[in-house]
Each structure stands twice: as structure tokens, then as C-alpha cells.
Amino acid sequence: MDLGLADRTVLVTGGSSGVGLATVRALLGEGARVATCGRDGDRLAKAAARLGAGGDRLFTGVCDVRDADAVRRFTDAAAAHFGGRLDGLVNNAGQSRMKRLDDTTAEDWRDELELKFAGVLNPLAATRGYLRASDAASIVNINAVLAKQPETRLITTSAARAGILNLSTSLARELAAEGIRVNSVCLGLIDTGQWTRRHAAADSGLTYEEWQAELAADRGIALGRLGRAEEVAYAVVALLSPRASYITGTSIDVCGGVGRGIL
């Protein structure tokens, strides 16, 4: 099926690795033009080189989503590079904070809430005018099943994710009159660099494959494995597509069956 994304322009935050990079790759594969940013310029440059897309298809820039002015500068530069047009936004920048309540400081709470909310609100403010001018504007917020199924081992992240899911629903209603759809993709455990680093830090003596299998069993993942970044990207790209023109205010779980709620 043609998803209708050819020659449309999408901005993806946090596109230098993991789900963000897989989403950029999937969009390029659909013929879209993509602008993406990250905090680490070297890692972003290496990711862009691996993608092998020319400047007419891919625009990159160093940007911290917590800095509203930097986000606006990047957005305006990206839009200008692609002829003043933006059709989609993927809010992906962020990370998980593996801490329990007694290990968490007031600064941890402030940092986590700032990152999660600024990661949605700053790109929205910067792109809203451009998206309003599109005939098929779509925003996808990358979230986690933690938003609906709290995890005490990630207490700050769980709370912040729940707030973002709530915000996404409100944004879908607020922006519908402007022709902008807003949806969420809620992840389970995805095999990205974060889990590779946690395996190394655990120093368990297990291979990564053995450690991953134990992790999947411990977390009750029905499919018995971690997900792959490209499996998330498929859902994101589908929601960005004009084919999904009647879908807004919803969330799709990409979690291997770890979700146990009925809502």
C-alpha cells in the first residue's frame, strides 16, 4: 500500500539512534523528506552517514529539545531547507530513568518532568504554524506502556509518561480544528542502546541474548523477547500517513503483549 508520504516533510526529534533513527529510515524508505535532531553532533553525523540520504531528502541539526529557542531555530532552518513545508512531527527525544522512590531526588523529578514535557511542547510550539498549513498534518508522540501500567523501578518515568499520554489526548482535541492529528505510540521493552548499556552495567556474566531472555520473562512479555526499533517505526509511519486521516487522540501499544490492561 502506498502510504502517501512521498515528498512530504516530517521532523523527528532524537533521530540519531534507536526508535528515532529507525523512524527516520522508514520515512526515507517511503519517499518522505526528513529533518532530525539530536544532542550529540558526532552521533548524529554517523547516523546520517549510515542512512546514506542526500541533502535533498535529509536535514540534520544539533538541538536539545529542552531549549525552546534552539528547537525553533532548528525547525525554521529545516522548514526553509525543504521549501517552507512541514507535514508531520515525531516527538521521540527522551530516555528512561531507572530509579525507585527512595533513590529518587527532587532534582530527578524536575529533570524527568522537564525533559518529557519540553520534548513535546517545545517542538509543538515551533512546528504548529507549519503543520497548520499542511493538508495532512500529524503528530506522533513516542510514549511507553509505563504511562498506563506504572513500574516502580522507573517511578519518575512512569509518572511523566502518564502525564504525556494525558497531554496527547488533550492536544488531539485542541488541535483538531487546525487539521492536526495527534496520536501516541506506547512502547514496551525495545532493544536499543539503553538496554545494551544496562546489560553492561549489570555485569551479570550472562550474554546479552541470555540477559535479554531473562528480562523478557521477568517483565511478562508474551512474545518472549524485546522488540526491535523498526517494529515501532512501522506503527509511527502508519499514524503519520494521510491514510490514517480519521485516527486521532488514540494510542497504539507496541510491546509484545506486556500490556495487561483492557483500556
Side-chain angles (χ1 to χ4, degrees):
M1 176 185 290
D2 179 4
L3 294 179
L5 288 167
D7 297 325
R8 293 190 177 274
T9 303
V10 180
L11 190 153
V12 180
T13 65
S16 59
S17 63
V19 169
L21 178 57
T23 299
V24 172
R25 181 179 288 111
L27 285 166
L28 291 171
E30 292 293 326
R33 298 175 295 189
V34 184
T36 191
C37 61
R39 288 185 293 175
D40 187 324
D42 289 340
R43 191 156 80 168
L44 189 62
K46 290 176 182 177
R50 290 198 300 273
L51 290 167
D56 60 327
R57 301 281 310 287
L58 180 65
F59 179 85
T60 64
V62 176
C63 179
D64 187 331
V65 294
R66 292 170 294 189
D67 185 335
D69 290 337
V71 173
R72 186 167 293 281
R73 287 193 299 271
F74 170 71
T75 299
D76 289 344
H81 183 79
F82 290 125
R85 176 177 175 178
L86 287 177
D87 301 288
L89 168 65
V90 180
N91 288 315
N92 170 70
Q95 59 187 14
S96 296
R97 191 179 299 263
M98 184 71 80
K99 286 190 175 184
R100 292 181 180 272
L101 177 62
D102 290 341
D103 303 319
T104 305
T105 66
E107 184 178 3
D108 288 330
W109 282 103
R110 286 193 298 270
D111 287 349
E112 187 71 2
L113 292 169
E114 179 187 15
L115 176 59
K116 294 299 185 293
F117 281 88
V120 171
L121 294 173
N122 286 342
L124 169 62
T127 61
R128 187 173 178 179
Y130 296 107
L131 294 174
R132 193 184 295 124
S134 172
D135 64 345
S138 177
I139 297 172
V140 178
N141 293 325
I142 305 300
N143 207 323
V145 291
L146 297 173
K148 302 179 255 187
Q149 194 168 288
E151 169 58 72
T152 58
R153 287 171 285 195
L154 297 101
I155 193 165
T156 58
T157 299
S158 292
R161 293 291 192 190
I164 292 301
L165 189 61
N166 184 294
L167 174 63
S168 297
T169 302
S170 295
L171 292 177
R173 296 187 66 84
E174 288 287 317
L175 300 177
E178 299 177 24
I180 302 172
R181 296 184 295 110
V182 183
N183 293 290
S184 300
V185 172
C186 293
L187 315 185
L189 273 63
I190 306 300
D191 188 6
T192 64
Q194 291 188 52
W195 290 107
T196 306
R197 290 190 291 272
R198 287 174 185 170
H199 167 252
D203 194 24
S204 63
L206 300 175
T207 67
Y208 182 58
E209 290 71 23
E210 292 168 339
W211 182 83
Q212 185 182 136
E214 285 197 358
L215 178 65
D218 177 67
R219 298 299 176 87
I221 300 173
L223 293 183
R225 63 174 177 86
L226 303 191
R228 298 185 297 273
E230 60 268 25
E231 293 176 308
V232 180
Y234 299 146
V236 176
V237 171
L239 289 172
L240 289 169
S241 168
R243 302 286 187 185
S245 57
Y246 202 54
I247 301 175
T248 195
T250 193
S251 65
I252 295 177
D253 291 354
V254 183
C255 63
V258 75
R260 291 180 291 278
I262 59 173
L263 298 178

